[in-house]
Amino acid sequence: MKKIYKSSVQRLLFLFLTLAIQINIIFLVMLQFKDYFLYFYIISLAIGCILVFYILNGKSNPSYKIAWIVPILIFPIFGGTFYLIYGGNKLSKREKKKMKNQNIKMKSSLIQDPNVLDRLEKESEYAKNQALYMINYSNCPIYENTYNEYLTPGEVKFEKLVEELKKAKHFIFLEYFIIEEGIMWNTILEILKEKAKEGVDVRVIYDDVGCVMKLPYKYGDKLEKYGIKCRVFNPFIPIFTNRLNNRDHRKIAVIDGYVGFMGGINLADEYINAFEKYGHWKDAAILLKGEAVFNLTVMFLTMWDFINNSDDDYLKYRPENFTNEKYLSKGYVQPFDDSPLVNEPIGETVYLNLINKAKKYIYINTPYLIIDNEMATALKIAAKSGVDVRIVTPHIPDKWFVHAVTRSYYQSFIKDNIKIYEYTPGFMHSKTFVVDDEYAVVGSINLDFRSLYLHFECGAWLYKTDSVLKLKEDFLDTLELCQQISLQDCENVKWPVKFGRLILRMFSPLL
């Protein structure tokens, strides 16, 4: 059994109690106006209409707009109130200034080598255009001299991570959505404690919502006593606020500037199948060694400085400052980040570029399939044009309501020649794309609205590396363990279930 901390339970109960009190206060205020209900309703309706016009003219995704507009129009009093409290994605002026400064600093630290782009253009103008998009909007250059190794399942990543952590001499940076005490984290923590004693600069960032039931309250203080610097992203406070929308969903490890890990694997036992939570956990990561790791270093330091109000010298952490070894490899590697604060759907656009340029096949692993009309249309057009589109989702879900929305897409996709599979042994948590034996992405970016629009995410874009073929091989091997969903399977679903899925799908951007 997994350990649940008394302090975490108490904190969660306190949070729910506080939120419940806030809801009751809202209701009580409304009851005070019961004698003026008609006037109050008209005012609420007017405010709701103004909010609808505001939402319609905003830059958010159309599906996200619809998910808010429907409750505002049907329940103007409550829908409008909750949008004002919880909707949107806004920062304070101070935070906007901080983030703007961090972006400027990130851009000035990560300089693209023009010779690499020239060589890429000679191989493929399509590939160069995709790389330019990430350079221009994610501030992340593309590299040649970077060893890359596809790691799956989580047990393989864990073994490699432990091996590299033990070699650390200068610094260790870890940034994870979930950390939970157990075999995986305790093993890593012992290494971090030893390295901190040796004078290695050890820093850890974890997301507070991701760890609210995983770690004791103020767990960072415990790490600080071991000499491990720790910061918590966006602490979960018991107040209705749109700040709850933004979470740090990234999984990054950087060791001495030239070794990096990224992907979908958090630091908890279910990710290495030491604890069975939803059957067998299928996940993926990628190991990088060489120049491209600097992108990960700067991503981490940007987040660290944002949380810590500090000003690190990023150039001190360049790979060549810590190793003379040259990592030669085939192809190109471009680690990129995706922030909800830049008003640009970088992760989704990277995926769309891959879909739209595909000629032979598109193979996708994803735990969730909750996408907007643009991506659904792109996948269908590719399949209708003769591209072999296959998608693997979980058979055993982690959230039943999210999986219900995922399954709501099956029938229309299958009708348009997209092949759907469910990973029969358990939960598919990998977030991978592989296309035409040339392109691939491994990262933390789910095919759902939160990952694509609200969370801090990251991924590695690969072109013509050996890892691309490893991803393809792993995908085809995984299909042997999957159940293909047929059109008849979809048609046999009872109508109340179908109706429930469609209702959930309408509000899926808010899940």
Side-chain angles (χ1 to χ4, degrees):
M1 293 290 292
K2 300 298 285 184
K3 186 175 182 181
I4 299 177
Y5 293 96
K6 183 179 178 181
S7 60
S8 297
V9 174
Q10 290 174 339
R11 183 187 181 202
L12 199 61
L13 289 174
F14 174 73
L15 292 173
F16 279 126
L17 178 62
T18 309
L19 294 174
I21 291 172
Q22 292 174 68
I23 292 172
N24 285 328
I25 290 173
I26 293 171
F27 275 106
L28 289 172
V29 170
M30 291 179 177
L31 285 174
Q32 292 300 313
F33 292 90
K34 64 181 180 179
D35 295 334
Y36 307 95
F37 178 78
L38 180 61
Y39 302 105
F40 187 64
Y41 183 83
I42 292 172
I43 292 171
S44 298
L45 190 61
I47 293 173
C49 290
I50 293 170
L51 288 175
V52 167
F53 282 113
Y54 173 77
I55 294 169
L56 285 172
N57 287 284
K59 294 182 178 180
S60 58
N61 183 272
S63 298
Y64 191 73
K65 293 178 181 180
I66 292 171
W68 275 113
I69 288 172
V70 170
I72 288 174
L73 291 179
I74 296 177
F75 309 106
I77 296 176
F78 303 110
T81 301
F82 276 96
Y83 178 80
L84 290 171
I85 295 172
Y86 190 66
N89 180 30
K90 297 180 179 179
L91 291 172
S92 66
K93 289 183 179 180
R94 178 173 172 272
E95 288 173 321
K96 285 181 180 178
K97 184 177 180 181
K98 279 174 59 180
M99 185 54 66
K100 183 179 180 180
N101 291 337
Q102 294 299 334
N103 288 336
I104 292 171
K105 190 175 177 183
M106 182 177 185
K107 188 172 184 178
S108 64
S109 301
L110 294 170
I111 306 299
Q112 178 63 59
D113 181 347
N115 295 321
V116 174
L117 275 181
D118 290 342
R119 287 191 287 272
L120 178 60
E121 184 175 26
K122 290 176 182 177
E123 292 194 41
S124 169
E125 191 169 349
Y126 287 142
K128 182 203 171 187
N129 289 340
Q130 291 184 55
L132 274 175
Y133 171 79
M134 287 173 276
I135 294 167
N136 292 333
Y137 290 94
S138 186
N139 300 320
C140 292
I142 187 169
Y143 302 85
E144 287 176 299
N145 300 322
T146 300
Y147 169 82
N148 52 95
E149 183 179 351
Y150 176 62
L151 307 176
T152 187
E155 299 91 300
V156 178
K157 186 251 178 135
F158 179 42
E159 181 181 350
K160 290 281 186 180
L161 179 59
V162 168
E163 178 184 331
E164 296 297 337
L165 287 171
K166 289 179 178 179
K167 299 177 187 176
K169 296 180 180 178
H170 305 284
F171 66 88
I172 297 171
F173 296 159
L174 301 178
E175 179 180 347
Y176 283 85
F177 179 61
I178 291 174
I179 295 175
E180 183 174 15
E181 291 188 332
I183 295 171
M184 189 180 193
W185 173 243
N186 293 349
T187 301
I188 291 170
L189 180 58
E190 289 304 311
I191 299 172
L192 300 183
K193 288 159 64 174
E194 288 301 316
K195 291 299 176 180
K197 288 179 183 178
E198 295 170 10
V200 175
D201 181 7
V202 182
R203 306 189 198 183
V204 173
I205 297 173
Y206 66 83
D207 185 272
D208 201 33
V209 167
C211 297
V212 70
M213 289 295 290
K214 310 290 186 180
L215 294 175
Y217 183 49
K218 292 190 175 181
Y219 184 71
D221 293 347
K222 178 179 178 180
L223 296 185
E224 293 280 350
K225 292 177 181 178
Y226 298 137
I228 300 168
K229 301 170 188 173
C230 182
R231 298 296 179 267
V232 180
F233 178 80
N234 202 355
F236 185 19
I237 55 176
I239 299 175
F240 277 119
T241 169
N242 54 31
R243 286 177 59 88
L244 293 176
N245 278 329
N246 303 134
R247 309 312 321 171
D248 185 358
H249 194 246
R250 304 193 301 202
K251 294 92 178 167
I252 294 174
V254 180
I255 300 149
D256 289 348
Y258 60 92
V259 177
F261 293 83
M262 63 195 308
I265 303 168
N266 284 298
L267 305 182
D269 283 356
E270 60 265 32
Y271 294 86
I272 59 171
N273 290 294
F275 166 70
E276 186 173 307
K277 196 170 186 179
Y278 307 108
H280 183 269
W281 194 288
K282 172 69 174 175
D283 219 321
I286 191 159
L287 164 62
L288 305 176
K289 292 185 179 182
E291 296 176 3
V293 176
F294 189 52
N295 285 15
L296 297 183
T297 304
V298 173
M299 287 180 209
F300 176 90
L301 290 172
T302 300
M303 183 63 75
W304 182 271
D305 286 351
F306 179 73
I307 299 171
N308 198 48
N309 293 314
S310 52
D311 187 21
D312 280 290
D313 180 1
Y314 299 168
L315 298 181
K316 283 181 11 182
Y317 300 92
R318 290 188 62 84
E320 59 267 27
N321 296 337
F322 304 99
T323 182
N324 295 320
E325 188 169 351
K326 299 298 180 184
Y327 294 94
L328 303 178
S329 65
K330 290 171 54 181
Y332 300 80
V333 179
Q334 189 170 17
F336 65 94
D337 80 333
D338 188 3
S339 166
L341 308 180
V342 297
N343 293 319
E344 178 68 27
I346 296 170
E348 183 179 38
T349 305
V350 169
Y351 286 158
L352 284 172
N353 276 334
L354 293 176
I355 295 167
N356 292 332
K357 299 298 187 297
K359 298 176 182 177
K360 299 176 183 177
Y361 71 83
I362 303 166
Y363 296 161
I364 301 170
N365 286 321
T366 180
Y368 316 117
L369 186 61
I370 307 175
I371 53 180
D372 58 20
N373 184 66
E374 289 86 346
M375 185 168 288
T377 301
L379 287 167
K380 290 180 178 182
I381 290 173
K384 289 176 180 178
S385 303
V387 177
D388 180 14
V389 182
R390 306 188 191 195
I391 303 173
V392 176
T393 66
H395 182 67
I396 302 175
D398 63 337
K399 305 176 186 71
W400 69 267
F401 50 91
V402 175
H403 196 54
V405 179
T406 292
R407 285 179 162 173
S408 73
Y409 286 87
Y410 287 1
Q411 187 165 349
S412 66
F413 274 20
I414 294 169
K415 283 183 177 178
D416 287 323
N417 300 322
I418 296 173
K419 300 180 182 71
I420 302 292
Y421 302 81
E422 288 190 352
Y423 182 64
T424 310
F427 187 61
M428 169 60 70
H429 193 254
S430 301
K431 308 97 165 47
T432 64
F433 269 60
V434 59
V435 176
D436 291 351
D437 291 355
E438 293 186 334
Y439 303 97
V441 170
V442 182
S444 64
I445 309 169
N446 293 318
L447 288 180
D448 68 2
F449 285 87
R450 292 208 159 270
S451 266
L452 296 174
Y453 298 104
L454 297 175
H455 290 168
F456 290 84
E457 304 279 2
C458 63
W461 182 87
L462 310 168
Y463 178 64
K464 288 189 174 180
T465 70
D466 290 335
S467 293
V468 173
L469 297 180
K470 292 291 185 183
L471 264 86
K472 178 187 179 183
E473 180 184 350
D474 177 61
F475 185 90
L476 295 175
D477 288 344
T478 300
L479 291 186
E480 299 297 321
L481 303 172
C482 293
Q483 169 193 353
Q484 183 172 0
I485 307 301
S486 68
L487 190 58
Q488 186 176 359
D489 292 331
C490 299
E491 291 172 346
N492 288 339
V493 176
K494 296 179 179 179
W495 74 263
V497 175
K498 287 185 178 180
F499 182 74
R501 289 175 180 176
L502 291 176
I503 295 297
L504 286 170
R505 183 166 163 179
M506 183 186 300
F507 298 102
S508 59
L510 308 182
L511 294 179

